[in-house]
Amino acid sequence: FARNPQDDAAFYYFILTIHAKHGAFEALRLLSERTASFTSDPDTIEQADLWLQQARLLGSFRDFDAAEACVARVERRFPQHPWMWTEKSGLLREQDRYEESLAAAREATRLRPWYRPAVQAQVHLLQLLNRDDEALALLEESRTRLQCGSLVQTLVDRVR
């Protein structure tokens, strides 16, 4: 990011670092300045991911209206972006809208089968909905399709 501050992908990871070191408020402040400079809905996937990152941070402050507006901007321009559906799922989960959240996570895996973040979201949501048998079946099948240690660890923890 220091070498190319205009690079949106580099800025995305820069904001992750700011969030880890200085907290959500500072990350949101910097991110809001960047997205305010955009002249329209996102033109690139990298800009879309910045809007989604902003939505996540706004959601952490329980500003769901503003967060949903950010997601809507991305959904209008990139409705086939599986990360958008995964982030939308997380935002709905934060609002305790578990069935809608699960539907969004499933849309992400419809668009990109076995998309790891969406599979993990589905497992978590199925557990929240007390649908443990479905969660275990999804974990077991994902073990054979994905090389993801955290999914296998979740399976091991559930079986114990």
Side-chain angles (χ1 to χ4, degrees):
F1 172 72
R3 281 186 243 130
N4 189 359
Q6 298 309 312
D7 184 293
D8 290 326
F11 188 74
Y12 179 93
Y13 291 102
F14 172 71
I15 290 298
L16 290 177
T17 302
I18 293 299
H19 186 212
K21 289 186 172 190
H22 302 286
F25 185 79
E26 181 63 12
L28 182 58
R29 185 185 70 74
L30 292 171
L31 188 54
S32 296
E33 288 175 5
R34 179 70 161 244
T35 57
S37 72
F38 298 157
T39 58
S40 65
D41 286 350
D43 291 324
T44 65
I45 266 309
E46 292 79 14
Q47 285 183 357
D49 288 344
L50 291 176
W51 281 111
L52 294 171
Q53 191 177 46
Q54 185 168 334
R56 185 178 336 114
L57 289 167
L58 287 164
S60 74
F61 288 107
R62 318 273 314 154
D63 188 351
F64 296 124
D65 290 339
E68 287 174 356
C70 291
V71 172
R73 293 181 92 129
V74 176
E75 190 171 359
R76 278 192 299 271
R77 181 71 172 83
F78 295 100
Q80 304 297 312
H81 186 25
W83 184 242
M84 183 273 300
W85 288 102
T86 305
E87 287 287 3
K88 184 174 184 171
S89 172
L91 185 60
L92 291 165
R93 185 193 68 241
E94 289 298 315
Q95 297 173 70
D96 300 327
R97 295 163 58 184
Y98 299 142
E99 289 291 347
E100 293 170 83
S101 179
L102 180 60
R106 285 184 169 158
E107 179 62 13
T109 54
R110 185 190 70 74
L111 293 167
R112 185 180 295 168
W114 298 104
Y115 185 49
R116 184 207 42 84
V119 170
Q120 286 181 293
Q122 288 175 58
V123 168
H124 181 65
L125 288 157
L126 288 167
Q127 291 172 319
L128 290 173
L129 290 165
N130 293 316
R131 292 161 56 181
D132 291 341
D133 291 343
E134 288 177 70
L136 284 171
L138 182 56
L139 279 169
E140 186 60 42
E141 189 171 1
S142 70
R143 182 183 61 81
T144 65
R145 295 180 177 266
L146 299 171
Q147 295 181 354
C148 179
S150 62
L151 281 169
V152 173
Q153 185 62 50
T154 303
L155 179 62
V156 169
D157 291 344
R158 295 294 299 160
V159 172
R160 281 190 206 166

